[in-house]
Amino acid sequence: MAKHAAVIGSGVMGHGIAQEYALAGYTVSLYDLKEEFLSKAKNSIENSLSLLVSEQVITELAKQDALERIVLTTDLRAAVAEADVITEAIPEVIEMKWELFEKLEHLAKEDAIIASNTSTFSVARLIERAKTPHRFIITHFFNPAQLVPLVEIVRHESTSDEVVSTVMDLMVQIGKSPVLLKKDVPGFVANRLQAALMREAFHLLKEGVADAREIDTVMKDGIGFRWAFVGPIETADFGGLDTWKRVIENLAPVLDASQSAPALIEELVAKGELGTKTGSGIYSYADTSVEEKWKERDEQFIRLGKMKRG
Ligand SMILES: NC(=O)c1ccc[n+]([C@@H]2O[C@H](COP(=O)([O-])OP(=O)(O)OC[C@H]3O[C@@H](n4cnc5c(N)ncnc54)[C@H](O)[C@@H]3O)[C@@H](O)[C@H]2O)c1
């Protein structure tokens, strides 16, 4: 079983993925283009591990051990030389990913697995230029990668069965909940479900049916409250399929079917108001610390995770 992991790209997703491998006992090479990106990532990992210690999920010793197992580097060759599994978490630009994969195929061990954290590309697209397609697979982590259990696994017909089963075992070993998709479709399962719900949420906001805070409350105290434990298909069974037949028949014709991003999102993006990362988005974060907001969110996710693990 693999013992050395490399993570390429140490941003929002890469640092969390590196943390998960390190906590599970892997030596992790975390690669990025500049030292300053790596020190920011190291800082985020330290903060996240400290939060796990204060929430009594891990010990101080486990935190120190995990930190010692993470090697930061701006040397790609050194990062991947020993790696059994390499996770790519660089920006969602196909040419950048192809360029990186070409280097990885050349520099990595012959039997190293190359996993992409892409959120939109199919495996077929990712491997268009690959010389060793049998070792490519998607492991789609969720943000924050170190706290959300789900990892969607997507294979191509040329991905070897051995790579698929090794990656499935690996995900369980690092404490994740992997779901292997049966087809290579854009957006996989989770982002398709999320996008359907977001489209309707922004439609209701635009139509003035409820304001942003009210829509979020409906989700957090209603649908989301149930969904952490009962999925949508189970919900149909629990509610009665005769009832759900009528609900869908009556509502499907009036649901939003827009083919583009909501106008409000378009306007805010054009103004550079991107949400917490710029201090304002749909909500304003002017009189609150964004770091505190993130910390609060992570504390709640850690507690939910503990509850779900029983
Ligand atoms: N942010 C999310 O919520 C999220 C969730 C799931 C999947 N993803 C996917 O994960 C991937 C990474 O997203 P992110 O949000 O972490 O991006 P990010 O911009 O936060 O981080 C990307 C990192 O890659 C580095 N980088 C850029 N070019 C590189 C190269 N050629 N080689 C090595 N490093 C390079 C950048 O310096 C940066 O640190 C994308 O494919 C994205 O679609 C993102």
Side-chain angles (χ1 to χ4, degrees), residues 122-140:
S122 63
V123 196
R125 184 114 170 94
L126 293 175
I127 61 169
E128 267 176 33
R129 301 187 183 175
K131 294 195 173 57
T132 53
H134 66 279
R135 55 166 155 170
F136 281 78
I137 195 160
I138 291 173
T139 54
H140 181 231

Side-chain angles (χ1 to χ4, degrees), residues 11-13 31-32 37 89-92 96-97 117 119 141 143:
V12 173
M13 297 305 291
Y31 168 86
D32 211 309
F37 301 150
I90 70 169
E92 194 74 349
M96 286 174 80
K97 293 196 192 272
N117 191 54
S119 18
F141 287 72
N143 184 23

Side-chain angles (χ1 to χ4, degrees), residues 262-284:
L264 177 58
I265 294 191
E266 298 267 17
E267 279 161 31
L268 292 172
V269 169
K271 284 198 275 180
E273 295 180 23
L274 307 183
T276 54
K277 63 177 158 185
T278 57
S280 80
I282 314 289
Y283 296 105
S284 166

